[in-house]
Amino acid sequence: MEATYIKRKIDGRINIKSSSKEEQVTRCTIILLTVLTVMAFMFFDYSGLDLSTAFAETVYNLKIMFLEPALNHFSLAEAFHQVGITLGLAFLATFIGAVIALFLALLAANNLSNKWISKTVRIFVAFIRAVPTVLWVLIFAIAAGLGSEAAILGMLFHSIAYLVKAFSEAFEEVDKGIIEALRATGSGWWHIVTRAILPSTFTYLLSWTFLRFEINFSVAVAMGAAAGAGGIGFELFMSSGFYFDLREVGFITYAILLIAIVLEVLSTQLKNRYFPSSTSN
């Protein structure tokens, strides 16, 4: 009893020290960012800047953009078609990436794979995650050319790395006793995966996959402009960069916002269905 009390006391002190160090790092980071922000404003070149005129023009542009939205260079049916293209790009990258990531995550999980295989897969996907999606798209554009192919490949690459980390961490949270009990009965690796791992983590896998789909939708909008992948992002780029049509930019912005709200509602419904205890709390 006395040893247990001492151990708990030591663990408590360690937790307090670690939390205090994290707080110190957080405070130092905030202070550093604040100082750098103030210094940046001090070194700006304000010559020739009329704040009153700039403010008035900005308010006027925002009023036209968000209070007078309209389509001038393509029809409403074409707008729905372009939104469908963007959703299709996001869906393909997410679906194919989730399937590939599922098998790689089984190899990356420490409780299901060899230590060296797990480390190799983790290092590989960590390198992929470190490179932004835009750079992967540009890399694939060298081979496939600018367009939807390069956009899907770039988003697919980053989606796989993102989901491998999420899926493998979910697999590692499975109770070790269940896995050991199945191994004691002579169950093979694949039987353990299908009977214990996947049923226990299905809701988490679904949640992470849908979250990645939301991310890929916003990325697909950007890739439509940056990589010529088409979709509503390309129309937004044309309206703002070539036509300078603020009314059309406002309409497209509302369309993207509406899709984002719909995806968020669907995500909430999935959470309410598969995680009723967490939402009730």
Side-chain angles (χ1 to χ4, degrees):
M1 293 293 292
E2 184 177 356
T4 304
Y5 172 75
I6 295 174
K7 184 178 182 300
R8 289 179 179 176
K9 194 171 183 180
I10 294 175
D11 292 340
R13 290 180 178 178
I14 293 175
N15 291 333
I16 292 174
K17 289 182 179 180
S18 61
S19 61
S20 62
K21 289 182 179 179
E22 292 177 357
E23 290 178 358
Q24 291 178 358
V25 172
T26 303
R27 289 176 183 174
C28 293
T29 303
I30 294 175
I31 294 174
L32 178 62
L33 292 176
T34 303
V35 172
L36 291 176
T37 302
V38 173
M39 291 179 62
F41 279 104
M42 291 176 59
F43 287 105
F44 277 164
D45 184 10
Y46 295 99
S47 60
L49 177 62
D50 188 354
L51 292 178
S52 60
T53 303
F55 180 77
E57 291 181 355
T58 301
V59 171
Y60 176 74
N61 291 335
L62 292 176
K63 186 190 75 163
I64 293 179
M65 186 183 302
F66 294 111
L67 299 182
E68 302 176 12
L71 289 176
N72 299 318
H73 297 90
F74 59 98
S75 62
L76 183 61
E78 182 67 19
F80 279 108
H81 176 68
Q82 297 299 333
V83 170
I85 291 176
T86 303
L87 287 172
L89 293 173
F91 177 79
L92 282 176
T94 305
F95 179 76
I96 300 174
V99 173
I100 299 174
L102 177 63
F103 293 97
L104 290 178
L106 294 173
L107 298 177
N110 291 324
N111 56 347
L112 297 173
S113 178
N114 180 274
K115 182 175 69 173
W116 293 107
I117 296 178
S118 176
K119 285 185 177 181
T120 302
V121 175
R122 287 176 179 270
I123 292 173
F124 178 69
V125 297
F127 168 74
I128 295 176
R129 284 198 312 273
V131 180
T133 308
V134 178
L135 291 183
W136 283 120
V137 172
L138 295 178
I139 291 172
F140 285 111
I142 298 175
L146 289 175
S148 58
E149 295 84 359
I152 290 178
L153 289 173
M155 290 191 297
L156 174 64
F157 230 56
H158 207 274
S159 297
I160 292 173
Y162 179 92
L163 292 176
V164 165
K165 178 177 174 59
F167 289 177
S168 62
E169 290 179 353
F171 294 157
E172 291 173 353
E173 292 297 324
V174 177
D175 188 4
K176 296 180 180 179
I178 299 176
I179 299 176
E180 292 176 357
L182 287 174
R183 286 174 178 169
T185 59
S187 299
W189 182 85
W190 186 248
H191 188 269
I192 294 174
V193 170
T194 56
R195 296 290 184 238
I197 301 299
L198 295 182
S200 301
T201 59
F202 174 75
T203 53
Y204 295 97
L205 303 184
L206 182 63
S207 179
W208 280 112
T209 302
F210 198 87
L211 176 61
R212 185 64 205 188
F213 176 69
E214 293 183 37
I215 296 173
N216 281 340
F217 173 74
S218 60
V219 173
V221 173
M223 292 303 98
I232 198 66
F234 180 75
E235 297 297 339
L236 179 61
F237 172 71
M238 294 295 293
S239 298
S240 60
F242 284 86
Y243 305 138
F244 301 104
D245 191 339
L246 294 179
R247 292 180 175 85
E248 197 164 79
V249 170
F251 185 92
I252 296 173
T253 303
Y254 279 128
I256 296 173
L257 179 62
L258 178 62
I259 298 299
I261 292 174
V262 170
L263 293 178
E264 183 63 29
V265 171
L266 291 176
S267 176
T268 303
Q269 290 180 350
L270 285 175
K271 291 178 182 178
N272 292 335
R273 181 175 179 180
Y274 293 104
F275 300 95
S277 59
S278 61
T279 54
S280 61
N281 293 334

